[in-house]
Amino acid sequence: MQFDLSAVETGTLVFIGTLMVALALVLFVAVAAFAALVLVGMGRLAWLAIAAALLRTVHGINHAWDSLVHHASAVEFPAEFQGQPSPSTGTYPRVALRDS
């Protein structure tokens, strides 16, 4: 038995067509929402990678600075510096500042 589409009423065809358009719209919105979620996820992942790299850089700089300060505080001067008059004013002596 063959299905004859001309035997279906116009109202039924309109109803089925409306359902098909609605299904196409639902699929489009679902694909767009999934693509948006993927893009947001990729942006979040990129942000986390950049933030981690910046955090590692800051920690590296802090570690290098701490090492430099620790090394500088461990250095002993062989003799005390004598105060010298400043060439600009001639009143204030130059002093060697140590880690306080």
Side-chain angles (χ1 to χ4, degrees), residues 2-98:
Q2 291 223 354
F3 182 72
D4 186 14
L5 197 58
S6 63
V8 180
E9 290 185 19
T10 306
T12 305
L13 290 176
V14 169
F15 179 73
I16 292 173
T18 304
L19 287 179
M20 292 297 165
V21 170
L23 179 65
L25 286 174
V26 166
L27 289 176
F28 176 76
V29 169
V31 169
F34 181 72
L37 285 174
V38 168
L39 288 175
V40 167
M42 287 173 44
R44 170 94 172 144
L45 183 64
W47 169 251
L48 288 177
I50 290 169
L54 286 174
L55 194 62
R56 282 193 306 267
T57 302
V58 168
H59 281 301
I61 291 170
N62 285 339
H63 178 70
W65 181 254
D66 286 342
S67 298
L68 180 68
V69 169
H70 180 71
H71 176 70
S73 68
V75 171
E76 289 293 326
F77 293 113
E80 290 296 320
F81 288 108
Q82 299 297 323
Q84 297 175 352
S86 175
S88 61
T89 62
T91 57
Y92 296 106
R94 293 183 185 165
V95 291
L97 297 177
R98 303 191 84 163

